[in-house]
Amino acid sequence: MRKVTFPHMGESYRTFKMLLNDLGNEVILPPRPSRKTLNMGVQYTPEFACFPLKILMGTYLEAIEKGANILVTSGGVGPCRAGLYADLHKKILHDLGYPIEMIIFEPPRLYPISFIRNVYKLNPGRLSIKAIIGRIKKAWRKLQALDNAEKATHVIRPRELKKGTTTRKYKQVLEWIDSAYNTNDIIEAEAAALEELHKVPQDPNRLVIKVGIVGEIYVLLEPAANLEIEETLGNLGVEVERSIFLTGWTRDNTWKETVEGTTVKDAAKHYLPELIGGHGRDSIGNTILYSKRGFDGVIQLAPFTCIPEIVARTILPAVSRDYNIPVLTFFLDEQTGKAGMNTRLEAFADLMKRKKLKKQDKSKLWLPSGAL
Amino acid sequence: MLRIGIPSALFYYVYYPLWKTYFDELGTQVITSGKTTRKLMDNGVREALADACVPVKVFFGHTMAISDQVDYLFIPRIVCLNKKTVYCPKFLGLPDMIRHGIPGMPPIIDVRVDARERKDSILSAYYQVGKMLGKTSAQIIKALLKAQIKQFKFQRLLCGGLQPLEAIDNIFNGKHNKPPDNQGQLKFAVVGYPYIIHDQYISVAIINKLRKMRINVVTPDNLSPLTVRIQRHASPKRLFWTFSERTLRATRYFAGRNDIDGIIHLSAFGCGPDSIVDRFIQLDNYSSTIPFMSLTVDEHSGEAGVSTRLEAFVDMVKRKRRDIT
């Protein structure tokens, strides 16, 4: 029996589950990465491979335990090594004796035939092309709805009156979007979800600082990999804006480059004119854009030994100096502890708040609770 | 006279004869940073990011060592030379890392070389450099021709069994190094990147150590580019990086020969591509009959530790050989 699974990346699994179900596949839901996932992954992967490879390995192994035998994942054309991970995973899994099939999606504009073949493989229901396109459109809409709900929590969480309300509400509304199964329902669920989120009691006077998050896509999108950094920051009274969402990334990488993509490239040009793979250049470009938009700071997230992010990290101090914006970098791996990270985040948030207060010259004024 | 600085790291081991001759012919003075030393390495380690790989840290050190003696630093942005594979992301961002990563650097000649863009892009890159230095077309072409001839000579010496540093010595310092000939002894292949294997400091002089144990050593640099190119590897997807692809193919070639008694994969701590290359070598079982060892070095690698592992490996190979014969 064919049982399909795919990597776990934030809340996006809800979309993929729906899409694969629609096409007539039986889906094994990938588990949310945990300590156990990581331990399993670390055991079978090269030591210096980056964090995403290890987590994915663990995710696949857990999914295989649950009965999955077809893994759907994305490839890549370099020079970031993530493009080779699917092949490496396949080799390691075969070496361990699991007879799994791997379906690897390469960028369709470069490999259109392999793309069509992959879609065909994942279409045991033998739907017509028109029907497939319809299902993909619907899935796309759901992905957008999930991204929008998440964006809303980033704005609301730092302003909530009672800690934890937003997160609780968010978990609830995700289920609404999850259970919507046609386009109209999805749109309705999204509207209802956003409305419900905005109902969270907020403090309009609170001093909120804005932070942009840049870095490598997997650790940005998977809260289990970045130790829920967005939630932590939100609770510290920091509004975050993430530079990468799955919808935006997919648009940039499947057919043609978007306007936003080009802006980032132009911004980074002075510091790093070359595409170095991964999101190295985007990290630099986005940092500059955040500074121009008046953000108070930037946090770079990268897996340990990630080559493009190391290049970016080497250049970022110069950007930080030239554009007067503080940048904090986290290289994440299986050893990263949540407490240590939180301490650093608290210090960083304090620093930015002090800086902002000084700028506004309001340091002598009465501060609303939770400001400092 | 204009002074051009070429740090003795990374591409130095592959293209130095070409670059040196080219700049000499254009009437500039080439300044190199010489061998890696403790001090140089420490400087690089201090200035470069802790998470960077050792060769990049060493490159930082080499650049700093010559930065105040030169008018320009020559750090070309070599993206692609064979229309198929590119270099590791760290090579692609190298000029930017140096420019923005270390304060007070002299201007950098960071001409971009990408063979995928147009047919003559390698030529045009050298032409650009020549024009930057204010030379005429005739001078540039003459210099480039001479440089190419030198590079061929370099390649021939490598194919004859010399290692890059010895070959460079022969060409520019009038030495007459010959490949050591330990007849009837063991022959090992040391695979990996030239800037790791041949940097005496990073690799803890692994080749000399092996030779002292009376073992013949071959490296991927001793193979002609054609031999490497026609070698197939079992991976379904091409590796993206030129040096890694070369290492993988060379390993396959060595594994297929019956006069190689052992293969050592030398890689540097923190090297991104190597995490994949090493596992591919193991999984593809290139060396199922030939003993294989993977050795990782970093800035803290000690003489004794590496020697112990080499000795153990050599003993193991010898014992295996005795059992067979």
Side-chain angles (χ1 to χ4, degrees):
Chain A
M1 186 56 208
R2 297 160 44 96
K3 286 181 182 165
V4 184
T5 192
F6 46 87
H8 189 284
M9 228 180 185
E11 299 297 337
S12 65
Y13 71 90
R14 299 173 194 271
T15 302
F16 296 132
K17 179 186 69 182
M18 182 183 76
L19 179 62
L20 288 167
N21 264 335
D22 277 353
L23 294 176
N25 297 292
E26 191 179 334
V27 178
I28 300 283
L29 268 190
R32 186 175 191 272
S34 60
R35 188 42 57 187
K36 182 185 159 224
T37 320
L38 203 50
N39 287 343
M40 285 172 91
V42 167
Q43 209 172 341
Y44 300 109
T45 45
E47 190 185 349
F48 298 128
C50 68
F51 197 37
L53 175 94
K54 298 177 184 173
I55 300 188
L56 286 198
M57 189 76 212
T59 308
Y60 292 153
L61 285 169
E62 279 188 309
I64 288 171
E65 258 177 22
K66 286 163 77 181
N69 50 22
I70 298 183
L71 313 179
V72 185
T73 184
S74 68
V77 288
C80 166
R81 56 189 149 151
L84 292 165
Y85 280 178
D87 278 328
L88 191 57
H89 279 135
K90 188 162 105 181
K91 274 205 168 125
I92 295 175
L93 286 171
H94 283 178
D95 194 55
L96 290 174
Y98 297 111
I100 46 99
E101 187 187 345
M102 201 115 180
I103 297 181
I104 306 165
F105 278 93
E106 300 286 350
R109 63 180 152 180
L110 295 174
Y111 301 96
I113 295 171
S114 117
F115 183 79
I116 293 166
R117 201 181 290 143
N118 282 344
V119 172
Y120 184 79
K121 273 189 210 157
L122 285 175
N123 179 18
R126 295 289 166 260
L127 299 173
S128 68
I129 293 175
K130 203 175 151 210
I132 296 177
I133 293 175
R135 303 285 147 89
I136 292 179
K137 270 189 182 154
K138 190 175 82 178
W140 181 256
R141 189 67 195 81
K142 192 170 215 173
L143 203 55
Q144 282 177 325
L146 290 169
D147 278 357
N148 289 339
E150 198 180 347
K151 276 179 199 164
T153 64
H154 292 164
V155 180
I156 295 162
R157 194 176 288 120
R159 296 181 170 83
E160 69 193 4
L161 277 177
K162 206 165 144 253
K163 243 181 204 174
T165 336
T166 319
T167 309
R168 221 165 31 244
K169 272 272 154 56
Y170 177 52
K171 282 194 179 128
Q172 186 189 337
V173 300
L174 276 176
E175 296 306 323
W176 301 355
I177 300 176
D178 193 48
S179 55
Y181 256 82
N182 64 52
T183 313
N184 285 337
D185 287 355
I186 293 171
I187 294 173
E188 233 169 74
E190 183 193 358
L194 290 179
E195 203 189 314
E196 186 69 22
L197 280 173
H198 281 289
K199 269 192 212 149
V200 171
Q202 294 176 41
D203 176 359
N205 296 322
R206 188 176 289 174
L207 174 83
V208 168
I209 46 179
K210 282 182 96 172
V211 163
I213 299 193
V214 300
E216 193 268 345
I217 183 165
Y218 185 81
V219 294
L220 242 58
L221 293 188
E222 177 52 63
N226 62 35
L227 309 169
E228 291 99 13
I229 191 170
E230 280 148 355
E231 203 182 316
T232 314
L233 281 170
N235 291 337
L236 287 170
V238 177
E239 181 184 332
V240 295
E241 186 175 318
R242 205 165 67 201
S243 58
I244 302 173
F245 280 89
L246 202 51
T247 45
W249 179 83
T250 316
R251 249 184 299 141
D252 277 345
N253 288 275
T254 41
W255 208 243
K256 63 174 192 230
E257 216 155 49
T258 55
V259 187
E260 295 101 62
T262 331
T263 329
V264 175
K265 228 157 84 182
D266 280 346
K269 203 163 189 176
H270 173 67
Y271 292 95
L272 188 63
E274 188 68 41
L275 170 78
I276 53 168
H279 297 86
R281 186 168 56 179
D282 305 7
S283 292
I284 291 178
N286 280 318
T287 305
I288 294 171
L289 292 181
Y290 282 137
S291 159
K292 282 187 176 158
R293 286 170 54 201
F295 275 58
D296 299 297
V298 168
I299 292 177
Q300 182 198 19
L301 291 179
F304 178 62
T305 76
C306 170
I307 324 171
E309 295 300 333
I310 286 176
V311 175
R313 171 69 182 80
T314 311
I315 301 170
L316 273 175
V319 179
S320 163
R321 207 168 43 237
D322 296 353
Y323 285 86
N324 188 25
I325 185 164
V327 179
L328 178 67
T329 302
F330 284 102
F331 278 107
L332 302 158
D333 69 358
E334 63 266 26
Q335 315 285 353
T336 312
K338 191 158 181 172
M341 189 174 188
N342 287 358
T343 314
R344 287 180 67 192
L345 285 177
E346 275 165 33
F348 191 59
D350 275 356
L351 178 131
M352 285 185 294
K353 271 180 191 164
R354 243 172 254 279
K355 205 174 157 196
K356 187 162 196 168
L357 285 173
K358 218 170 161 187
K359 213 159 53 187
Q360 292 174 340
D361 204 28
K362 280 180 186 166
S363 41
K364 289 188 196 94
L365 291 181
W366 171 82
L367 292 173
S369 64
L372 204 64
Chain B
M1 206 197 250
L2 212 57
R3 290 161 306 168
I4 306 266
I6 299 181
S8 313
L10 301 182
F11 279 120
Y12 175 86
Y13 299 94
V14 189
Y15 291 115
Y16 178 65
L18 182 86
W19 293 353
K20 156 102 174 146
T21 318
Y22 181 69
F23 284 117
D24 277 353
E25 287 296 318
L26 288 181
T28 53
Q29 191 190 352
V30 173
I31 292 175
T32 59
S33 45
K35 276 188 183 146
T36 312
T37 57
R38 167 104 244 165
K39 184 167 163 266
L40 214 148
M41 165 92 92
D42 285 347
N43 282 342
V45 168
R46 194 170 55 241
E47 210 59 43
L49 193 66
D51 301 86
C53 64
V54 183
V56 164
K57 288 178 185 170
V58 167
F59 188 84
F60 269 62
H62 277 281
T63 328
M64 288 156 73
I66 50 169
S67 63
D68 49 355
Q69 307 165 27
V70 299
D71 301 311
Y72 290 101
L73 277 172
F74 184 60
I75 310 176
R77 190 194 300 280
I78 299 183
V79 179
C80 170
L81 294 177
N82 56 7
K83 296 190 185 162
K84 292 190 184 88
T85 49
V86 298
Y87 287 84
C88 165
K90 280 170 195 163
F91 284 94
L92 307 189
L94 201 55
D96 308 302
M97 286 189 355
I98 297 293
R99 189 179 294 130
H100 300 293
I102 319 178
M105 280 287 121
I108 293 172
I109 302 179
D110 66 340
V111 61
R112 184 170 186 274
V113 190
D114 188 348
R116 290 169 304 183
E117 268 180 355
R118 41 192 278 204
K119 249 189 185 142
D120 58 345
S121 52
I122 299 175
L123 222 65
S124 86
Y126 284 105
Y127 192 78
Q128 267 178 38
V129 174
K131 281 288 167 197
M132 239 180 259
L133 300 171
K135 305 293 167 190
T136 65
S137 306
Q139 282 172 317
I140 295 170
I141 290 168
K142 193 177 146 223
L144 194 54
L145 273 178
K146 282 206 172 159
Q148 286 289 4
I149 293 168
K150 264 289 158 58
Q151 185 70 18
F152 276 127
K153 198 175 158 196
F154 178 60
Q155 188 62 51
R156 215 174 50 230
L157 287 174
L158 291 184
C159 291
L162 281 183
Q163 301 307 332
L165 284 182
E166 299 160 347
I168 288 171
D169 236 22
N170 275 14
I171 293 176
F172 293 110
N173 302 339
K175 294 261 177 66
H176 294 284
N177 290 324
K178 289 222 169 56
D181 189 28
N182 300 331
Q183 275 295 324
Q185 295 294 323
L186 293 175
K187 191 171 185 181
F188 277 14
V190 177
V191 296
Y193 308 132
Y195 49 84
I196 297 176
I197 301 179
H198 302 301
D199 190 314
Q200 306 276 328
Y201 198 88
I202 302 182
S203 71
V204 204
I206 184 170
I207 293 185
N208 291 349
K209 284 204 173 71
L210 286 170
R211 280 179 180 167
K212 257 185 214 140
M213 293 183 226
R214 297 187 56 75
I215 286 164
N216 286 318
V217 179
V218 282
T219 64
D221 303 276
N222 299 128
L223 302 178
S224 80
L226 187 71
T227 317
V228 178
R229 200 157 67 224
I230 57 173
Q231 230 10 263
R232 297 180 65 82
H233 61 69
S235 168
K237 207 168 174 178
R238 189 194 297 280
L239 287 182
F240 307 138
W241 319 283
T242 313
F243 281 131
S244 312
E245 175 88 352
R246 192 175 80 142
T247 304
L248 207 56
R249 285 177 198 267
T251 312
R252 185 144 178 95
Y253 172 76
F254 288 133
R257 276 197 349 197
N258 45 21
D259 61 335
I260 300 284
D261 301 289
I263 298 179
I264 297 174
H265 180 217
L266 190 66
S267 75
F269 178 82
C271 173
D274 262 357
S275 62
I276 296 194
V277 172
D278 197 58
R279 189 50 69 95
F280 269 156
I281 293 177
Q282 285 173 25
L283 286 177
D284 287 343
N285 257 339
Y286 286 170
S287 37
S288 49
T289 53
I290 301 178
F292 171 78
M293 175 168 77
S294 168
L295 191 60
T296 307
V297 288
D298 69 358
E299 60 257 49
H300 308 297
S301 287
E303 199 83 35
V306 172
S307 292
T308 312
R309 291 195 60 190
L310 283 182
E311 277 160 23
F313 185 65
V314 170
D315 281 350
M316 190 265 284
V317 172
K318 278 186 179 155
R319 194 170 305 130
K320 182 178 176 235
R321 216 181 183 205
R322 237 189 352 258
D323 288 347
I324 292 169
T325 50

PDB file of all heavy atoms in Angstrom, chain A residues 321-333:
ATOM      1  N   ARG A 321      26.955  48.113  10.869  1.00  0.00           N
ATOM      2  CA  ARG A 321      27.622  49.380  11.140  1.00  0.00           C
ATOM      3  C   ARG A 321      27.129  50.462  10.190  1.00  0.00           C
ATOM      4  O   ARG A 321      26.743  51.541  10.607  1.00  0.00           O
ATOM      5  CB  ARG A 321      29.130  49.169  10.982  1.00  0.00           C
ATOM      6  CG  ARG A 321      29.989  50.102  11.810  1.00  0.00           C
ATOM      7  CD  ARG A 321      31.438  49.632  11.828  1.00  0.00           C
ATOM      8  NE  ARG A 321      31.896  49.203  10.518  1.00  0.00           N
ATOM      9  CZ  ARG A 321      32.390  47.998  10.250  1.00  0.00           C
ATOM     10  NH1 ARG A 321      32.482  47.103  11.189  1.00  0.00           N
ATOM     11  NH2 ARG A 321      32.795  47.672   9.030  1.00  0.00           N
ATOM     12  N   ASP A 322      27.120  50.141   8.894  1.00  0.00           N
ATOM     13  CA  ASP A 322      26.757  51.145   7.901  1.00  0.00           C
ATOM     14  C   ASP A 322      25.315  51.601   8.035  1.00  0.00           C
ATOM     15  O   ASP A 322      24.988  52.746   7.768  1.00  0.00           O
ATOM     16  CB  ASP A 322      26.976  50.588   6.486  1.00  0.00           C
ATOM     17  CG  ASP A 322      28.438  50.293   6.211  1.00  0.00           C
ATOM     18  OD1 ASP A 322      29.263  50.660   7.075  1.00  0.00           O
ATOM     19  OD2 ASP A 322      28.750  49.699   5.162  1.00  0.00           O
ATOM     20  N   TYR A 323      24.425  50.685   8.410  1.00  0.00           N
ATOM     21  CA  TYR A 323      23.007  51.030   8.455  1.00  0.00           C
ATOM     22  C   TYR A 323      22.506  51.231   9.878  1.00  0.00           C
ATOM     23  O   TYR A 323      21.312  51.406  10.088  1.00  0.00           O
ATOM     24  CB  TYR A 323      22.181  49.962   7.738  1.00  0.00           C
ATOM     25  CG  TYR A 323      22.299  50.057   6.244  1.00  0.00           C
ATOM     26  CD1 TYR A 323      23.333  49.422   5.574  1.00  0.00           C
ATOM     27  CD2 TYR A 323      21.396  50.810   5.494  1.00  0.00           C
ATOM     28  CE1 TYR A 323      23.465  49.532   4.206  1.00  0.00           C
ATOM     29  CE2 TYR A 323      21.516  50.918   4.128  1.00  0.00           C
ATOM     30  CZ  TYR A 323      22.558  50.271   3.491  1.00  0.00           C
ATOM     31  OH  TYR A 323      22.682  50.398   2.130  1.00  0.00           O
ATOM     32  N   ASN A 324      23.413  51.167  10.836  1.00  0.00           N
ATOM     33  CA  ASN A 324      23.079  51.417  12.231  1.00  0.00           C
ATOM     34  C   ASN A 324      21.909  50.569  12.713  1.00  0.00           C
ATOM     35  O   ASN A 324      20.896  51.092  13.180  1.00  0.00           O
ATOM     36  CB  ASN A 324      22.780  52.911  12.428  1.00  0.00           C
ATOM     37  CG  ASN A 324      22.630  53.253  13.892  1.00  0.00           C
ATOM     38  OD1 ASN A 324      23.178  52.554  14.745  1.00  0.00           O
ATOM     39  ND2 ASN A 324      21.872  54.299  14.172  1.00  0.00           N
ATOM     40  N   ILE A 325      22.044  49.280  12.541  1.00  0.00           N
ATOM     41  CA  ILE A 325      20.993  48.380  13.029  1.00  0.00           C
ATOM     42  C   ILE A 325      21.654  47.193  13.718  1.00  0.00           C
ATOM     43  O   ILE A 325      22.571  46.588  13.159  1.00  0.00           O
ATOM     44  CB  ILE A 325      20.067  47.935  11.867  1.00  0.00           C
ATOM     45  CG1 ILE A 325      18.906  47.108  12.407  1.00  0.00           C
ATOM     46  CG2 ILE A 325      20.811  47.186  10.787  1.00  0.00           C
ATOM     47  CD1 ILE A 325      17.782  46.978  11.418  1.00  0.00           C
ATOM     48  N   PRO A 326      21.263  46.902  14.969  1.00  0.00           N
ATOM     49  CA  PRO A 326      21.894  45.756  15.648  1.00  0.00           C
ATOM     50  C   PRO A 326      21.472  44.428  15.035  1.00  0.00           C
ATOM     51  O   PRO A 326      20.308  44.255  14.658  1.00  0.00           O
ATOM     52  CB  PRO A 326      21.404  45.869  17.088  1.00  0.00           C
ATOM     53  CG  PRO A 326      20.239  46.764  17.061  1.00  0.00           C
ATOM     54  CD  PRO A 326      20.312  47.605  15.833  1.00  0.00           C
ATOM     55  N   VAL A 327      22.429  43.522  14.890  1.00  0.00           N
ATOM     56  CA  VAL A 327      22.139  42.194  14.328  1.00  0.00           C
ATOM     57  C   VAL A 327      22.613  41.128  15.305  1.00  0.00           C
ATOM     58  O   VAL A 327      23.731  41.199  15.809  1.00  0.00           O
ATOM     59  CB  VAL A 327      22.852  41.990  12.971  1.00  0.00           C
ATOM     60  CG1 VAL A 327      22.559  40.608  12.425  1.00  0.00           C
ATOM     61  CG2 VAL A 327      22.439  43.053  11.983  1.00  0.00           C
ATOM     62  N   LEU A 328      21.743  40.175  15.592  1.00  0.00           N
ATOM     63  CA  LEU A 328      22.107  39.060  16.467  1.00  0.00           C
ATOM     64  C   LEU A 328      22.005  37.769  15.663  1.00  0.00           C
ATOM     65  O   LEU A 328      21.025  37.552  14.960  1.00  0.00           O
ATOM     66  CB  LEU A 328      21.154  39.011  17.660  1.00  0.00           C
ATOM     67  CG  LEU A 328      21.342  37.876  18.659  1.00  0.00           C
ATOM     68  CD1 LEU A 328      22.648  38.023  19.409  1.00  0.00           C
ATOM     69  CD2 LEU A 328      20.183  37.831  19.638  1.00  0.00           C
ATOM     70  N   THR A 329      23.042  36.943  15.746  1.00  0.00           N
ATOM     71  CA  THR A 329      23.033  35.692  14.976  1.00  0.00           C
ATOM     72  C   THR A 329      22.946  34.479  15.885  1.00  0.00           C
ATOM     73  O   THR A 329      23.595  34.441  16.924  1.00  0.00           O
ATOM     74  CB  THR A 329      24.304  35.578  14.126  1.00  0.00           C
ATOM     75  OG1 THR A 329      24.374  36.706  13.270  1.00  0.00           O
ATOM     76  CG2 THR A 329      24.274  34.321  13.278  1.00  0.00           C
ATOM     77  N   PHE A 330      22.130  33.528  15.487  1.00  0.00           N
ATOM     78  CA  PHE A 330      22.097  32.238  16.169  1.00  0.00           C
ATOM     79  C   PHE A 330      22.473  31.155  15.186  1.00  0.00           C
ATOM     80  O   PHE A 330      21.824  31.011  14.153  1.00  0.00           O
ATOM     81  CB  PHE A 330      20.696  31.928  16.693  1.00  0.00           C
ATOM     82  CG  PHE A 330      20.332  32.687  17.924  1.00  0.00           C
ATOM     83  CD1 PHE A 330      19.507  33.787  17.851  1.00  0.00           C
ATOM     84  CD2 PHE A 330      20.818  32.300  19.152  1.00  0.00           C
ATOM     85  CE1 PHE A 330      19.172  34.494  18.987  1.00  0.00           C
ATOM     86  CE2 PHE A 330      20.490  32.998  20.290  1.00  0.00           C
ATOM     87  CZ  PHE A 330      19.661  34.105  20.214  1.00  0.00           C
ATOM     88  N   PHE A 331      23.536  30.409  15.488  1.00  0.00           N
ATOM     89  CA  PHE A 331      23.809  29.207  14.715  1.00  0.00           C
ATOM     90  C   PHE A 331      23.213  28.046  15.503  1.00  0.00           C
ATOM     91  O   PHE A 331      23.652  27.758  16.613  1.00  0.00           O
ATOM     92  CB  PHE A 331      25.310  29.017  14.500  1.00  0.00           C
ATOM     93  CG  PHE A 331      25.831  29.837  13.358  1.00  0.00           C
ATOM     94  CD1 PHE A 331      26.605  30.955  13.578  1.00  0.00           C
ATOM     95  CD2 PHE A 331      25.512  29.494  12.057  1.00  0.00           C
ATOM     96  CE1 PHE A 331      27.072  31.719  12.521  1.00  0.00           C
ATOM     97  CE2 PHE A 331      25.972  30.249  10.989  1.00  0.00           C
ATOM     98  CZ  PHE A 331      26.754  31.368  11.218  1.00  0.00           C
ATOM     99  N   LEU A 332      22.189  27.431  14.941  1.00  0.00           N
ATOM    100  CA  LEU A 332      21.441  26.422  15.683  1.00  0.00           C
ATOM    101  C   LEU A 332      21.934  25.020  15.362  1.00  0.00           C
ATOM    102  O   LEU A 332      22.214  24.711  14.205  1.00  0.00           O
ATOM    103  CB  LEU A 332      19.970  26.503  15.309  1.00  0.00           C
ATOM    104  CG  LEU A 332      19.304  27.851  15.561  1.00  0.00           C
ATOM    105  CD1 LEU A 332      18.072  27.983  14.697  1.00  0.00           C
ATOM    106  CD2 LEU A 332      18.946  27.986  17.018  1.00  0.00           C
ATOM    107  N   ASP A 333      22.023  24.186  16.372  1.00  0.00           N
ATOM    108  CA  ASP A 333      22.253  22.765  16.122  1.00  0.00           C
ATOM    109  C   ASP A 333      21.632  21.959  17.241  1.00  0.00           C
ATOM    110  O   ASP A 333      20.898  22.495  18.064  1.00  0.00           O
ATOM    111  CB  ASP A 333      23.736  22.451  15.927  1.00  0.00           C
ATOM    112  CG  ASP A 333      24.537  22.607  17.203  1.00  0.00           C
ATOM    113  OD1 ASP A 333      23.944  22.998  18.220  1.00  0.00           O
ATOM    114  OD2 ASP A 333      25.740  22.345  17.174  1.00  0.00           O
TER     115      ASP A 333
END
